Amino acid sequence: MESLDEIFERYLSRSRIFKNREKLLPDYVPRELPHRDEQIIKLAKILAPALAGSRPSNVFIYGLTGTGKTAVTKYVLRRLSEKGQDKVLFAYVNCRQNNTSYRVMAELARSLGARVPFTGLATSEVFKRFVRALEKRGRIMVAVLDEIDHLVKRSGDDVLYFLTRINEQLSRSRLSLIGITNDLKFTEFLDARVKSSLGEEELVFPPYTARELEDILRQRAEEAFHEGVLAPEVIPTCAAIAAKQNGDCRLALDLLLKAADIAEREGASRVEAEHVRQAQREIEKNVTVDVIRSMPLHVKLVLVAIYLLEREGAKNLTTGLIYNKYLEITRMLGMDPVTQRRVSDIINELDMAGIVNARVVSLGRYGRTKIIKISASLKSIEEGLQEDLFMLGVTELVTR
DNA sequence: AATCCACAGGAAGTGCTGGGCG
DNA sequence: CGCCCAGCACTTCCTGTGGATT
């Protein structure tokens, strides 16, 4: 066991591995974005008219996670605002975090300095405040709606309808929209008018190949690490793992960061390929554990039911089977159960979160149901559930 | 070809929290 | 103060359905 002194000392005496750790964090936008020249130029051409005072076309950006959509957008906007001084207004809203009409509008209005409480107002009131604030500024505004599919799936396209037509209500100002999504089929859910308006221009981001990921990592590594601290296989390993995950650059960078963190924690002088593999396991586990921890109680109880059934060796878990087990658990705890309808939704939520795998099948005479399988590791499920079960005094359910 | 199971999953509504606004 | 708002977890009521079995 190392002493506290030793732990703090390592940070005081500056890292042996990191030169600048921040350059690997997900929200850092580097000075150059390798292999995205085409997209950068196209986006810049679309947005450039803003500098001349005319409204740029709306843009729709597609691409899987970690293909550089957000980075390219932020990069181009940053360069544009450097050139345009305060001619152009910008707003960036992440619709995964702000996944309701109200919250998106509140973010946009706030970016213009309007005062909007985080709850309490009618959405139409927030619309009004946004319009008023924008009109007062008398500028062109470019609003980025990142992960816009989350918004539409939850709250419909009313906000988008409003935003795409907002220019009719403005005389001194203009609004352009950039919609970013990683769901390629998502436009199907859109109102035709919204779809055509938002899709005035389209931009596609293909996944990075392993080679391209290596280039990116090398460039970042140069900024982030001291020379010679990476074993030669480290970058190719990160790139290869991430390339398998749809060429997800965010994952590649995260792997590199975590691997280096692990190496540093160990007091190693170099990052080795083994650290990358450890990092991979840690990332996978952390994601599920965090997701489970933050879930409402009954979602956890349903997960306990699934977990127990799976451990009992039950095959072909169906909704009904799980519901019965869940009822048993709530009875044991003396709690009121939720309805089967709700449990059906909970199973879908668990599926969306990647913790279980649920698919609807028809068993003919034996009805139509969902077949559920656990897809996360049992260990991380145990870890995610532990605290709550401890509070309920039933830890023994999950630990043997 | 008709039947019928075991649910899926849509629509609308409730009760609660945490906040407006005048 | 009273009334209104959004969001969330959840309920109630409901119609729909793929395909093995009759």
Side-chain angles (χ1 to χ4, degrees):
Chain A
M1 197 57 182
E2 58 189 333
S3 72
L4 284 183
D5 266 355
E6 281 170 317
I7 294 172
F8 296 146
E9 199 61 41
R10 255 208 326 276
Y11 285 87
L12 265 182
S13 62
R14 311 238 325 281
S15 168
R16 288 156 74 189
I17 288 178
F18 289 110
K19 186 160 67 188
N20 192 345
R21 185 173 177 279
E22 280 162 37
K23 307 264 172 164
L24 293 176
L25 296 178
D27 46 358
Y28 172 71
V29 181
R31 268 179 289 106
E32 281 174 35
L33 296 164
H35 305 291
R36 282 294 175 254
D37 304 334
E38 200 184 305
Q39 285 80 8
I40 290 172
I41 288 172
K42 184 156 179 210
L43 186 59
K45 279 185 181 161
I46 294 167
L47 296 180
L51 293 174
S54 69
R55 186 188 79 87
S57 297
N58 293 333
V59 193
F60 213 84
I61 298 181
Y62 303 90
L64 298 171
T65 20
T67 49
K69 304 181 296 293
T70 309
V72 164
T73 308
K74 283 186 170 171
Y75 173 83
V76 173
L77 289 183
R78 195 174 67 195
R79 293 287 298 273
L80 192 65
S81 68
E82 281 165 15
K83 272 272 187 277
Q85 314 297 358
D86 52 354
K87 266 188 178 164
V88 190
L89 302 166
F90 299 105
Y92 172 87
V93 182
N94 184 305
C95 303
R96 191 208 293 264
Q97 287 144 35
N98 303 289
N99 56 4
T100 62
S101 318
Y102 185 93
R103 291 213 267 256
V104 168
M105 287 313 300
E107 281 301 309
L108 291 178
R110 268 189 218 123
S111 79
L112 292 173
R115 217 187 111 260
V116 181
F118 73 87
T119 174
L121 293 185
T123 309
S124 58
E125 173 60 25
V126 187
F127 283 157
K128 269 185 221 148
R129 290 189 189 188
F130 174 67
V131 174
R132 208 186 312 139
L134 182 53
E135 185 65 0
K136 206 169 78 188
R137 301 289 281 273
R139 294 268 153 68
I140 297 211
M141 178 176 193
V142 177
V144 181
L145 302 175
D146 204 348
E147 311 200 68
I148 197 172
D149 43 320
H150 285 267
L151 172 66
V152 174
K153 275 179 201 149
R154 290 199 37 138
S155 314
D157 54 8
D158 294 358
V159 211
L160 297 184
Y161 185 67
F162 170 82
L163 286 173
T164 51
R165 298 185 25 158
I166 195 172
N167 289 313
E168 295 165 14
Q169 298 181 45
L170 298 167
S171 54
R172 306 176 53 230
S173 298
R174 286 283 174 265
L175 179 71
S176 288
L177 295 172
I178 300 181
I180 304 181
T181 176
N182 41 38
D183 182 349
L184 306 178
K185 300 179 305 179
F186 126 95
T187 43
E188 290 168 20
F189 304 113
L190 290 178
D191 180 292
R193 285 165 296 187
V194 174
K195 191 170 159 184
S196 67
S197 168
L198 206 57
E200 287 172 344
E201 295 282 351
E202 295 192 1
L203 215 52
V204 179
F205 283 63
Y208 291 109
T209 64
R211 285 226 48 92
E212 290 170 344
L213 287 171
E214 279 187 40
D215 285 343
I216 297 168
L217 290 179
R218 255 182 250 291
Q219 176 221 318
R220 291 291 187 98
E222 208 167 296
E223 295 181 46
F225 296 112
H226 291 302
E227 228 177 302
V229 298
L230 296 185
E233 328 84 76
V234 167
I235 284 180
T237 311
C238 292
I241 293 169
K244 269 185 218 148
Q245 286 280 324
N246 307 317
D248 183 346
C249 184
R250 195 178 323 172
L251 175 62
L253 288 164
D254 202 27
L255 278 167
L256 187 58
L257 175 65
K258 290 270 154 57
D261 279 341
I262 291 170
E264 177 142 278
R265 221 182 299 148
E266 280 179 3
S269 57
R270 275 192 1 151
V271 186
E272 307 288 342
E274 181 49 34
H275 294 131
V276 178
R277 282 185 282 275
Q278 275 182 50
Q280 186 187 9
R281 283 192 293 272
E282 197 173 294
I283 288 170
E284 269 168 26
K285 201 176 104 194
N286 283 350
V287 170
T288 28
V289 171
D290 289 351
V291 169
I292 293 172
R293 280 210 184 113
S294 65
M295 290 188 308
L297 179 59
H298 286 278
V299 182
K300 288 175 182 158
L301 294 179
V302 171
L303 184 56
V304 173
I306 298 172
Y307 172 88
L308 290 176
L309 284 168
E310 188 111 335
R311 232 182 50 189
E312 285 166 13
K315 284 194 54 177
N316 292 336
L317 302 191
T318 63
T319 307
L321 213 58
I322 291 169
Y323 190 60
N324 284 334
K325 191 77 182 174
Y326 162 82
L327 287 179
E328 215 178 280
I329 294 168
T330 52
R331 206 161 36 240
M332 199 185 84
L333 297 171
M335 301 177 66
D336 290 337
V338 300
T339 56
Q340 179 157 342
R341 177 70 186 83
R342 175 66 187 135
V343 169
S344 174
D345 278 345
I346 287 176
I347 291 170
N348 287 340
E349 284 166 28
L350 289 170
D351 179 60
M352 289 286 285
I355 296 165
V356 304
N357 208 297
R359 56 177 232 281
V360 278
V361 290
S362 179
L363 284 66
R365 208 347 103 89
Y366 306 104
R368 198 162 171 270
T369 181
K370 271 191 288 248
I371 297 282
I372 295 99
K373 270 172 52 189
I374 290 186
S375 61
S377 82
L378 292 182
K379 265 228 178 72
S380 38
I381 291 177
E382 283 163 19
E383 200 173 312
L385 290 170
Q386 223 149 38
E387 279 173 46
D388 283 76
L389 298 179
F390 179 73
M391 294 239 291
L392 296 167
V394 286
T395 348
E396 69 277 6
L397 270 183
V398 167
T399 50
R400 52 221 104 167

